[in-house]
């Protein structure tokens, strides 16, 4: 298994959680929506921090690239955290329009972010970190609770 | 290492918008032209009106939008760096616009001199575009079938432009070339080698992305592009060999792979994880259903030659391809890309991110679904007008109205972008 394979799988897991939360909140089922959203928030946060604390520093150390792709990815994590914050507020005030708008935006941002990671950054990480123990640590962190 | 890799999402917002904002108004022109010419337009594909209409949609609507989308898509999806996108877009877009108007006027008023006058502008605009895009697509370290589909598509565009230029000069100077066969090859490279190849390559990414569907199966993405290319090459042999006897052996497999692509896309959408529907997903369905109808009716015309002998049968297929498949898919894509780009560029202004309105505030959802309904009505009326010429004017007016509404929705979105931008700047 490659170093980044667990992150790859975890993207799909987060997609699933996103669809559940969006579906429930759009249909006005706020109780289910709240649970699904809490799970989504938790898993995305785990994903972001795993990359920011483990993968990116290891990649930067191995390649010396500190201001390139990883910097862009960190910036997009910030944007996604902010949209998640907007979704949380909308959920609290049971505003399905605001929730839907922020969710729609998050989805595209998240998908094109994943696309860049999966197609470009992860293969670069697999090359640079093939012999390290980063992969094992990622498996440990991303265990679905 | 990977110095050429682009991780930044996007060229300046003006680059794609310059193309997107123009595209719908060519659809309006096509609708008005149809309403003005009335029932004669659809008698056959060779009427001056039919040729002008085809190129208004193919070059004015489709190519404008697809060029704009590529500037955006290449850095994000395949990590390619397009050389000086602003300069290239500012040059290519007006040249393409001018060339299209010259060509369409040449067809409409039967002035071969105008066709020939359009050629240098096309070669300059699209030659430049093809070179810049090809360079970006070949230098990116990314891999995958979307990248290969895009590489093949840009080659398909080059073949289409060269054949089109040859045809224009042949008509202008009476060159001794087989006009009908060349046109058939030009048409199939334009629709199949460029437009469909690009649509398929982009679908591999955006269908799973917008609707959270399963990915396209590997066997499909691996085989679809190369098989399509092979069939296009076989189709092009008609320029050199007498294919009339085994033309069926190329046409039927071509229609079969179209149905596989359309059927598979519909199935992926049907089994998607995301339950929400929006204008984009519905537009994609309209496009895929049109493609299925095209494949089935095309096969019927091949298998029952008496049916296919009617010159209107090709007009029917043309309407399905241009209005049913590509105008629909492109409109749906623009309804997703434009609100997202508004958001993306607004939040880069540096103000508090929470001040940036989300995508749904950029184009009202009702305006998009209303426009979609009118577009579907336009396609149905256009198809009906092939067999009931009395409906032609109404079909033309409906097409013009639906494209104007699309254009208006996009203009509204850009105005909202400007309004929000000024607010955020004033606050900062």
């Amino acid at each position: 298994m490659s170093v980044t394979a667990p992150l790859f799988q975890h993207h799909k897991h987060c997609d699933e959680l996103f669809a559940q939360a969006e579906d429930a909140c759009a249909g006005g089922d706020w109780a289910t929506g709240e649970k699904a959203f809490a799970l989504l928030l938790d898993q995305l946060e785990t994903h972001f921090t795993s990359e920011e604390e483990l993968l990116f520093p290891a990649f930067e150390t191995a390649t010396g690239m500190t201001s390139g792709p990883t910097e862009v990815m960190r910036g997009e994590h910030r944007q996604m955290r902010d949209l998640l914050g907007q979704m949380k507020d909308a959920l609290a005030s049971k505003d399905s329009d605001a929730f839907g708008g922020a969710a729609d935006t998050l989805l595209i941002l998240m998908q094109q972010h994943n696309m860049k990671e999966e197609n470009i950054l992860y293969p670069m990480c697999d090359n640079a970190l093939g012999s390290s123990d980063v992969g094992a640590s990622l498996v440990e962190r991303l265990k679905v609770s | 290492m990977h110095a050429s890799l682009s991780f930044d999402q996007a060229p300046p917002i003006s680059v794609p918008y310059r193309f997107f904002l123009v595209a719908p108004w060519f659809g309006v022109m096509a609708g008005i032209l149809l309403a003005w010419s009335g029932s004669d337009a659809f008698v056959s594909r060779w009427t001056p009106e039919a040729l002008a209409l085809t190129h208004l949609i193919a070059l004015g609507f489709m190519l404008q939008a697809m060029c704009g989308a590529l500037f955006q898509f290449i850095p994000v999806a395949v990590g390619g760096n397009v050389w000086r996108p602003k300069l290239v877009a500012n040059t290519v877009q007006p040249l393409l616009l001018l060339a299209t108007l010259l060509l369409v006027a040449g067809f409409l008023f039967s002035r071969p001199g105008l066709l020939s006058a359009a050629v240098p502008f096309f070669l300059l605009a699209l030659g430049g575009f093809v070179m810049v895009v090809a360079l970006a697509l070949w230098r990116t370290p990314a891999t995958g079938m979307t990248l290969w589909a895009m590489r093949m598509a840009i080659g398909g565009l080059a073949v289409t432009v060269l054949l089109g230029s040859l045809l224009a000069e042949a008509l202008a100077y009476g060159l001794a070339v087989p006009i009908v066969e060349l046109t058939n090859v030009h048409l199939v490279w334009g629709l199949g080698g460029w437009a469909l190849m690009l649509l398929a390559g982009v679908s591999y990414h955006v269908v799973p992305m917008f609707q959270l569907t399963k990915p396209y199966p590997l066997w499909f993405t691996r085989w679809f592009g190369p098989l399509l290319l092979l069939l296009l090459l076989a189709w092009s042999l008609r320029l050199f060999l007498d294919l009339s006897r085994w033309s069926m052996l190329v046409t039927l497999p071509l229609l079969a792979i179209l149905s596989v692509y359309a059927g598979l896309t519909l199935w992926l959408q049907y089994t998607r994880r995301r339950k929400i529907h929006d204008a984009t997903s519905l537009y994609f369905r309209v496009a895929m259903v049109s493609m299925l109808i095209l494949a089935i009716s095309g096969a019927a015309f091949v298998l029952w030659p008496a049916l296919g002998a009617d010159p209107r049968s090709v007009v029917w297929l043309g309407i399905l391809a241009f209005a049913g498949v590509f105008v629909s898919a492109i409109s749906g894509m623009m309804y997703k890309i434009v609100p997202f780009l508004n958001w993306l560029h607004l939040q880069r202004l540096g103000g508090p991110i929470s001040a940036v309105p989300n995508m749904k505030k950029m184009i009202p959802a009702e305006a998009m679904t209303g426009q979609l309904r009118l577009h579907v009505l336009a396609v149905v009326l256009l198809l009906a007008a092939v067999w009931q010429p009395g409906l032609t004017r109404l079909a033309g007016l409906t097409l013009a109205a639906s494209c104007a509404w699309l254009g208006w929705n996009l203009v509204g979105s850009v105005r909202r972008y400007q309004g929000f931008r000024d607010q955020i700047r004033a606050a900062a």
Side-chain angles (χ1 to χ4, degrees):
Chain A
M1 192 166 74
S2 71
V3 175
T4 55
L7 291 164
F8 217 109
Q9 289 160 10
H10 197 252
H11 280 165
K12 305 290 166 252
H13 174 59
C14 292
D15 286 350
E16 193 70 54
L17 297 176
F18 173 90
Q20 288 166 9
E22 191 192 33
D23 187 34
C25 293
D29 182 357
W30 297 106
T32 314
E34 205 163 324
K35 274 186 217 145
F37 180 75
L39 204 54
L40 171 70
L41 194 62
D42 173 68
Q43 287 299 303
L44 279 177
E45 194 49 50
T46 307
H47 192 94
F48 297 158
T49 49
S50 304
E51 291 181 342
E52 289 164 359
E53 292 171 5
L54 267 174
L55 183 73
F56 295 171
F59 174 78
E60 286 161 357
T61 311
T63 62
M65 289 170 77
T66 51
S67 60
T70 46
E71 198 46 43
V72 178
M73 295 299 115
R74 283 195 181 93
E76 291 184 354
H77 288 172
R78 269 196 298 279
Q79 295 171 345
M80 287 189 269
R81 284 184 171 115
D82 191 82
L83 284 166
L84 287 162
Q86 292 180 24
M87 287 162 76
K88 198 173 177 182
D89 294 345
L91 195 72
S93 53
K94 297 194 173 24
D95 181 343
S96 55
D97 272 357
F99 187 91
D104 210 25
T105 316
L106 174 70
L107 177 66
I108 306 214
L109 183 63
M110 183 165 88
Q111 293 301 312
Q112 58 102 40
H113 173 84
N114 293 356
M115 195 154 91
K116 281 188 278 190
E117 287 189 339
E118 292 172 9
N119 292 340
I120 306 162
L121 182 61
Y122 289 172
M124 286 163 79
C125 289
D126 290 339
N127 277 337
L129 305 171
S131 54
S132 71
D133 56 358
V134 174
S137 313
L138 285 172
V139 173
E140 189 57 35
R141 279 217 188 196
L142 293 174
K143 266 184 196 152
V144 181
S145 53
Chain B
M1 174 185 170
H2 297 315
S4 73
L5 197 60
S6 169
F7 256 83
D8 208 358
Q9 289 112 326
I13 199 166
S14 68
V15 169
Y17 281 11
R18 171 178 274 284
F19 293 92
F20 290 172
L21 288 178
V22 162
W25 304 101
F26 275 98
V28 175
M29 279 191 254
I32 292 173
L33 171 59
L34 190 60
W36 172 67
S37 25
S39 51
D40 292 344
F42 284 168
V43 172
S44 98
R45 60 187 275 215
W46 302 104
T47 62
E49 291 84 3
L51 290 167
L53 283 169
T54 306
H55 288 85
L56 277 172
I57 297 292
L59 294 164
F61 192 110
M62 287 166 55
L63 187 56
Q64 286 274 349
M66 288 168 138
C67 285
L70 267 184
F71 278 105
Q72 188 64 42
F73 199 72
I74 288 175
V76 178
V78 295
N81 262 326
V82 178
W83 179 78
R84 304 192 60 176
K86 201 165 178 175
L87 175 74
V88 177
N90 288 354
T91 317
V92 167
Q93 195 271 337
L95 280 175
L96 181 59
L97 184 107
L98 175 67
T100 305
L101 292 175
L102 282 172
L103 188 83
V104 167
F107 281 127
L108 196 57
F109 306 117
S110 302
R111 295 276 296 276
L114 290 177
L115 301 181
S116 174
V119 168
F121 294 109
F122 275 122
L123 290 177
L124 206 60
L126 296 172
F129 179 76
V130 166
M131 273 199 289
V132 166
V133 166
L135 202 65
L137 290 176
W138 260 271
R139 286 172 59 175
T140 175
T143 53
M145 289 324 289
T146 288
L147 180 63
W148 276 105
M150 289 168 82
R151 286 173 176 166
M152 288 188 274
I154 204 72
L157 177 63
V159 173
T160 311
V161 175
L162 289 175
L163 290 174
S165 303
L166 176 61
L167 275 164
E169 298 294 6
L171 288 173
Y173 295 104
L175 305 180
V177 295
I179 297 276
V180 175
E181 290 306 341
L182 257 182
T183 306
N184 284 335
V185 175
H186 163 72
L187 169 83
V188 168
W189 276 94
L191 280 177
W194 158 244
L196 176 62
M197 192 74 91
L198 184 64
L199 180 63
V202 169
S203 305
Y204 302 161
H205 266 308
V206 301
V207 169
M209 172 169 161
F210 293 158
Q211 284 294 304
L212 296 178
T213 70
K214 279 182 252 177
Y216 282 84
L218 215 54
W219 60 262
F220 178 78
T221 55
R222 222 170 249 174
W223 286 103
F224 179 78
L227 209 56
L228 178 58
L229 187 66
L230 205 68
L231 288 166
L232 292 178
L233 290 169
W235 173 275
S236 311
L237 286 179
R238 64 182 55 233
L239 284 178
F240 313 104
L241 306 168
D242 176 17
L243 276 192
S244 50
R245 266 175 301 159
W246 49 287
S247 152
M248 221 190 252
L249 293 180
V250 181
T251 314
L252 288 180
L254 201 55
L255 294 171
I257 66 167
L258 289 190
S259 349
V260 173
Y261 164 64
L264 187 56
T265 305
L266 285 171
W267 181 76
L268 287 175
Q269 285 200 327
Y270 182 71
T271 56
R272 72 198 185 279
R273 276 172 288 177
R274 195 184 190 207
K275 298 296 169 222
I276 315 255
H277 262 304
D278 56 20
T280 300
S281 63
L282 293 171
Y283 253 131
F284 238 84
R285 285 195 172 183
V286 174
M288 293 305 134
V289 169
S290 301
M291 197 180 290
L292 274 183
I293 300 174
L294 186 153
I296 293 165
S297 45
F301 295 151
V302 172
L303 295 171
W304 289 281
L307 212 56
D310 190 322
R312 289 176 299 180
S313 62
V314 184
V315 178
W316 164 270
L317 297 178
I319 290 169
L320 281 167
F322 287 105
V325 177
F326 290 110
V327 171
S328 304
I330 289 169
S331 305
M333 289 288 292
M334 289 201 289
Y335 277 156
K336 201 53 117 180
I337 299 174
V338 168
F340 181 68
L341 289 184
N342 273 7
W343 179 85
L344 190 70
H345 286 271
L346 283 175
Q347 62 79 36
R348 283 183 175 186
L349 292 173
I353 299 184
S354 50
V356 178
N358 65 52
M359 279 169 66
K360 289 223 164 123
K361 304 253 167 64
M362 304 300 177
I363 308 178
E366 309 76 50
M368 292 192 279
T369 42
Q371 191 274 330
L372 171 123
R373 287 197 194 103
L374 193 61
H375 170 74
V376 172
L377 179 66
V379 175
V380 171
L381 283 171
L382 286 167
L383 290 171
V386 176
W387 314 107
Q388 293 290 331
L391 289 170
T392 310
R393 285 184 206 278
L394 181 64
L397 288 175
T398 313
L399 177 68
S402 101
C403 288
W405 196 353
L406 171 67
W408 188 246
N409 283 343
L410 297 181
V411 168
S413 171
V414 171
R415 287 165 112 175
R416 264 172 225 118
Y417 167 79
Q418 288 165 335
F420 290 134
R421 181 192 59 193
D422 296 344
Q423 276 174 25
I424 292 171
R425 279 190 181 151

